[in-house]
Amino acid sequence: MNRLSVSTVVRIPPSEAYEFLLDFPGYAAYSNHLTGVDQSGDGGPGTRYRLHFSWWKLTYTVQSEVTEVEPPHRIEWEVTKDLDASGRWRVEPVETEDGAGSRVTLEVEYDPTSADNAVSLPAFVSLDWVVEKAAARVVEEGERVVERIVADLEGERRDVDLNVATE
């Protein structure tokens, strides 16, 4: 399994950060490759999402489900069809120079080879090539999404100190 973790500190309390992250369909505005989100449920456990992605010559709809929530600290999810992937948003209280803040972390675990039967590739394109290129995109997208979320949460863009870890 590959792992990605992207975290940063935002200058708002955990309850506000959590409520913002619970509004998953809003994420389409932050991603260059997420073109739409369909939601069935209220954002809590059992809520299902269809995430429509487009990158290069590939389009794919990821089906996921919220599996557990612990307000205002954690939102767990997993992909329910074709791909072996899961993840979570974690929100932890921290002190900032402006007072109460939150460390917001996006964690994702995924098996890139699980896409073998899920994605139809153009002729003469190998899954290994796509996996190599997509892995870099996953990291870039994780960083971009967190940076854009911080700007919306705080009401202005600023340099964001991101902690990115991959395995």
Side-chain angles (χ1 to χ4, degrees):
M1 290 291 264
N2 290 4
R3 289 178 173 75
L4 168 67
S5 174
V6 181
S7 71
T8 195
V9 172
V10 292
R11 299 172 185 145
I12 64 169
S15 59
E16 289 180 41
Y18 177 86
E19 287 301 319
F20 186 89
L21 294 171
L22 204 55
D23 180 25
F24 194 86
Y27 294 4
Y30 303 114
S31 172
N32 290 347
H33 305 293
L34 181 58
T35 60
V37 178
D38 302 318
Q39 178 178 342
S40 173
D42 63 3
T47 299
R48 293 183 176 268
Y49 297 99
R50 292 174 49 84
L51 311 157
H52 307 283
F53 287 94
S54 179
W55 170 71
W56 185 57
K57 296 179 181 187
L58 305 174
T59 59
Y60 186 72
T61 299
V62 173
Q63 296 180 37
S64 68
E65 181 176 341
V66 175
T67 58
E68 187 178 345
V69 296
E70 181 187 325
H73 304 292
R74 190 170 41 86
I75 302 167
E76 299 271 343
W77 54 269
E78 67 181 21
V79 173
T80 59
K81 183 178 180 227
D82 296 334
L83 303 173
D84 185 6
S86 62
R88 73 205 47 79
W89 282 104
R90 288 188 301 116
V91 182
E92 302 165 306
V94 296
E95 285 298 318
T96 67
E97 57 195 38
D98 300 332
S102 306
R103 174 164 295 282
V104 175
T105 304
L106 170 63
E107 298 173 339
V108 180
E109 296 96 26
Y110 62 98
D111 177 0
T113 62
S114 67
D116 193 17
N117 296 322
V119 179
S120 297
L121 297 176
F124 308 111
V125 175
S126 76
L127 179 62
D128 290 340
W129 181 86
V130 171
V131 166
E132 179 183 323
K133 298 298 182 191
R137 294 281 185 240
V138 168
V139 172
E140 290 171 10
E141 279 293 285
E143 292 174 350
R144 182 179 301 108
V145 166
V146 171
E147 288 174 340
R148 290 176 177 177
I149 285 172
V150 168
D152 273 0
L153 284 170
E154 294 181 355
E156 63 185 1
R157 285 201 177 273
R158 66 172 170 90
D159 287 336
V160 178
D161 182 22
L162 294 174
N163 296 319
V164 179
T166 58
E167 292 179 31

Coordinates of all heavy atoms in Angstrom, one line a residue, residues 18 21-23 27 43 66 68-70 73-77 87-90:
Y18 N -13.7 21.1 10.9 CA -14.4 19.9 10.7 C -15.6 20.0 9.9 O -15.9 19.3 9.0 CB -14.7 19.3 12.1 CG -15.5 18.0 12.0 CD1 -14.9 16.8 11.9 CD2 -16.9 18.0 12.1 CE1 -15.6 15.6 11.8 CE2 -17.6 16.8 12.0 CZ -17.0 15.6 11.8 OH -17.7 14.5 11.7
L21 N -14.8 20.5 6.3 CA -14.3 19.3 5.7 C -15.5 18.3 5.4 O -15.4 17.4 4.5 CB -13.2 18.6 6.5 CG -12.0 19.4 6.6 CD1 -11.0 18.8 7.6 CD2 -11.3 19.5 5.2
L22 N -16.5 18.3 6.3 CA -17.7 17.4 6.1 C -18.4 17.7 4.8 O -19.1 16.8 4.3 CB -18.6 17.6 7.3 CG -19.5 16.4 7.7 CD1 -18.7 15.1 7.9 CD2 -20.3 16.7 9.0
D23 N -18.3 18.9 4.3 CA -19.0 19.3 3.0 C -18.2 18.8 1.8 O -17.6 19.6 1.1 CB -19.2 20.8 3.0 CG -19.9 21.2 1.7 OD1 -20.6 20.4 1.1 OD2 -19.7 22.4 1.3
Y27 N -15.3 19.9 -2.5 CA -13.9 19.7 -2.9 C -13.7 19.8 -4.4 O -12.6 20.1 -4.8 CB -13.5 18.3 -2.5 CG -13.5 18.0 -1.0 CD1 -13.9 19.0 -0.1 CD2 -13.0 16.8 -0.5 CE1 -13.8 18.7 1.3 CE2 -13.0 16.5 0.8 CZ -13.4 17.5 1.7 OH -13.4 17.2 3.1
G43 N -23.5 13.3 4.9 CA -22.0 13.5 5.2 C -21.5 12.6 6.4 O -20.3 12.4 6.5
V66 N -18.4 7.2 3.5 CA -17.9 7.6 4.8 C -18.2 6.5 5.7 O -19.3 5.9 5.8 CB -18.7 8.9 5.3 CG1 -18.3 9.2 6.7 CG2 -18.4 10.1 4.4
E68 N -16.9 6.3 9.1 CA -16.9 6.7 10.6 C -16.6 8.2 10.7 O -15.8 8.7 9.9 CB -15.8 5.9 11.3 CG -15.9 6.0 12.8 CD -14.8 5.1 13.5 OE1 -14.3 4.2 12.9 OE2 -14.6 5.4 14.7
V69 N -17.2 8.8 11.7 CA -16.9 10.2 12.0 C -16.7 10.3 13.5 O -17.4 9.6 14.3 CB -17.9 11.2 11.5 CG1 -18.0 11.2 10.0 CG2 -19.3 10.9 12.1
E70 N -15.9 11.2 13.9 CA -15.7 11.6 15.3 C -15.6 13.1 15.4 O -14.5 13.6 15.4 CB -14.4 10.9 15.9 CG -14.2 11.2 17.3 CD -12.8 10.7 17.8 OE1 -12.4 9.6 17.3 OE2 -12.2 11.3 18.6
H73 N -13.1 15.7 15.2 CA -11.7 15.3 15.0 C -11.4 14.4 13.8 O -10.2 14.4 13.4 CB -11.2 14.6 16.3 CG -11.4 15.4 17.5 ND1 -10.6 16.5 17.7 CD2 -12.2 15.3 18.5 CE1 -11.0 17.1 18.9 NE2 -12.0 16.4 19.4
R74 N -12.3 13.7 13.3 CA -12.0 12.7 12.3 C -13.1 12.4 11.4 O -14.3 12.2 11.8 CB -11.5 11.4 13.0 CG -10.8 10.4 12.1 CD -10.2 9.3 13.0 NE -10.9 8.9 14.1 CZ -11.9 7.9 14.1 NH1 -12.2 7.3 12.9 NH2 -12.5 7.6 15.2
I75 N -12.8 12.2 10.1 CA -13.8 11.7 9.1 C -13.1 10.6 8.3 O -12.1 10.8 7.7 CB -14.2 12.8 8.1 CG1 -14.8 14.0 8.8 CG2 -15.1 12.3 7.0 CD1 -14.9 15.3 7.9
E76 N -13.6 9.4 8.4 CA -13.0 8.2 7.8 C -13.8 7.8 6.5 O -15.0 7.9 6.5 CB -13.0 7.0 8.7 CG -12.2 7.1 10.0 CD -10.8 6.7 9.9 OE1 -10.4 6.0 8.9 OE2 -10.0 7.1 10.7
W77 N -13.1 7.4 5.5 CA -13.8 7.0 4.2 C -13.0 5.8 3.6 O -11.9 5.6 3.9 CB -13.9 8.2 3.3 CG -12.6 8.8 3.0 CD1 -12.1 9.9 3.6 CD2 -11.7 8.5 2.0 NE1 -10.8 10.2 3.1 CE2 -10.6 9.3 2.1 CE3 -11.7 7.5 1.0 CZ2 -9.5 9.3 1.2 CZ3 -10.6 7.4 0.1 CH2 -9.5 8.3 0.2
G87 N -9.0 6.4 3.5 CA -8.3 7.6 4.1 C -9.1 8.3 5.1 O -10.2 7.8 5.6
R88 N -8.6 9.4 5.5 CA -9.3 10.2 6.6 C -8.8 11.6 6.6 O -7.8 11.9 6.1 CB -9.0 9.6 7.9 CG -7.6 9.8 8.5 CD -7.2 8.7 9.5 NE -7.4 7.3 9.1 CZ -6.7 6.6 8.2 NH1 -5.6 7.2 7.6 NH2 -7.0 5.4 7.9
W89 N -9.7 12.5 7.1 CA -9.3 13.8 7.5 C -9.2 13.8 9.0 O -10.1 13.2 9.7 CB -10.4 14.8 7.2 CG -10.4 15.2 5.7 CD1 -11.3 14.8 4.8 CD2 -9.6 16.1 5.0 NE1 -11.1 15.4 3.6 CE2 -10.0 16.2 3.7 CE3 -8.5 16.9 5.4 CZ2 -9.4 17.0 2.8 CZ3 -7.8 17.7 4.5 CH2 -8.3 17.7 3.2
R90 N -8.1 14.3 9.6 CA -7.9 14.5 11.0 C -7.8 15.9 11.3 O -7.2 16.7 10.6 CB -6.7 13.7 11.5 CG -6.8 12.2 11.5 CD -5.6 11.5 12.1 NE -4.4 11.8 11.5 CZ -3.4 12.4 12.1 NH1 -3.5 12.8 13.4 NH2 -2.2 12.7 11.5

